[in-house]
Amino acid sequence: MSEENHPPEPAEHPPRRPAGEQDAAGGEGSRPTGRQRLAAGLWPPRLSRAQLTVAVLLFVLGLGLAIQVRSTSDNGGALRGARQEDLVRILTELDNRSQRLEDEKRGLESQRSELETSSDRAAEALRQTRQKAQQLGVLAGTVPAEGPGITLTIEDPHGGVEADSLLDTLQELRAAGAEAIQINEVRVVADTYFTDGTDGVQIDGHKVSQPYEFDVIGNPQDLEPALNIPGGVVQTLEKEQATADVVRSQKIVVDALRPSKQPDYARSSQ
């Protein structure tokens, strides 16, 4: 019986692997791709101590800048909502303060120049020390003072002016560059306070009666406009049905004195 002829069966071939897949024997499929190498280089991060310190400093700097920008934005929003007369007053006070600081800077530079060029530095230092003591005495109210300035007289027939109104007036004068102030017979110093008593306004515990007279030493060209700006002292007092009269003078005398006090605990460290 003859055998039937059958076509030979095809030889089996191993299944093909996707390109790039690593096999056990190695070859081209065992090499990582470019994306894999990039990922391996970026993670996990390898930071030195110096790089970590720089990163922390940059974070703190960025946080500080963000807070400052937000604070400036908030202040700008407050100024945008202010009235025109308030903006004028703020601008005037800033100009006056800048001018006073510039004058003080020039005075200190002049003193330094005198000390450096003087042939007798000890005598020059003593002279400047005595001059400084005299200036501090004026500020402390322990010595009399005179100079150009203004006299502000407040008449209050309806009794609407209270302690806070007089305090606001004092603050405006100080902001405008007042160097020595006397209200009626009371010398005004850094720790002066105002209270409303049963029989009227008291300054540092002393009753003061109308009219309230402010004798103020300073630059009259700065003091008077500061009181008369829109929304300033004069207009505020007029709303209380009071009158404020401002008179410039080239000689204002402030002669009410405060007793010189010695501190109980504080001592000079030099």
Side-chain angles (χ1 to χ4, degrees):
M1 187 174 180
S2 63
E3 295 181 357
E4 295 181 359
N5 293 327
H6 296 282
E9 295 183 359
E12 294 184 358
H13 296 282
R16 294 189 178 183
R17 300 178 182 229
E21 182 178 346
Q22 184 177 1
D23 54 10
E28 292 186 359
S30 65
R31 289 184 297 181
T33 63
R35 181 178 298 177
Q36 292 172 337
R37 290 195 299 270
L38 178 60
L42 294 177
W43 190 265
R46 299 176 179 88
L47 296 177
S48 64
R49 180 176 298 179
Q51 291 173 329
L52 183 60
T53 302
V54 171
V56 172
L57 291 176
L58 289 176
F59 172 76
V60 173
L61 178 60
L63 181 62
L65 289 175
I67 294 174
Q68 184 176 4
V69 168
R70 182 171 182 178
S71 176
T72 303
S73 176
D74 293 342
N75 293 336
L79 289 177
R80 282 194 295 270
R83 298 178 301 172
Q84 182 177 2
E85 53 266 26
D86 293 334
L87 294 175
V88 172
R89 177 177 57 82
I90 293 172
L91 183 60
T92 301
E93 291 179 358
L94 289 176
D95 290 340
N96 293 337
R97 190 173 303 171
S98 176
Q99 183 63 42
R100 291 197 302 272
L101 290 175
E102 191 65 28
D103 293 341
E104 184 177 355
K105 175 186 174 184
R106 285 195 295 265
L108 292 174
E109 290 176 346
S110 176
Q111 291 181 2
R112 183 185 65 181
S113 177
E114 290 175 358
L115 283 173
E116 291 175 348
T117 58
S118 175
S119 58
D120 190 350
R121 295 188 177 182
E124 178 63 24
L126 180 60
R127 184 190 68 81
Q128 292 190 11
T129 301
R130 289 174 176 171
Q131 182 180 8
K132 193 67 175 178
Q134 189 73 9
Q135 295 173 353
L136 293 176
V138 170
L139 297 177
T142 58
V143 298
E146 66 176 43
I150 64 170
T151 298
L152 168 66
T153 304
I154 299 176
E155 296 276 0
D156 181 28
H158 299 281
V161 176
E162 298 180 345
D164 55 349
S165 298
L166 296 181
L167 177 59
D168 291 341
T169 303
L170 174 62
Q171 298 290 52
E172 289 288 347
L173 291 169
R174 283 175 168 169
E179 297 177 352
I181 303 175
Q182 176 176 325
I183 304 177
N184 290 11
E185 299 301 323
V186 180
R187 183 70 171 267
V188 175
V189 293
D191 58 352
T192 291
Y193 62 92
F194 296 76
T195 56
D196 289 313
T198 56
D199 53 351
V201 177
Q202 294 184 356
I203 303 177
D204 293 337
H206 301 281
K207 181 181 181 302
V208 291
S209 57
Q210 298 185 47
Y212 305 114
E213 184 174 298
F214 289 70
D215 294 318
V216 187
I217 296 177
N219 186 356
Q221 297 178 355
D222 294 335
L223 296 173
E224 183 180 5
L227 298 176
N228 287 292
I229 60 175
V233 169
V234 174
Q235 287 191 1
T236 302
L237 291 173
E238 289 176 351
K239 293 179 181 179
E240 302 293 340
Q241 297 183 339
T243 60
D245 182 51
V246 182
V247 178
R248 297 189 185 189
S249 176
Q250 290 302 312
K251 184 178 181 181
I252 298 292
V253 177
V254 175
D255 53 6
L257 301 181
R258 301 291 291 258
S260 179
K261 295 182 179 179
Q262 295 294 331
D264 295 328
Y265 304 101
R267 296 291 184 269
S268 174
S269 60
Q270 297 183 359

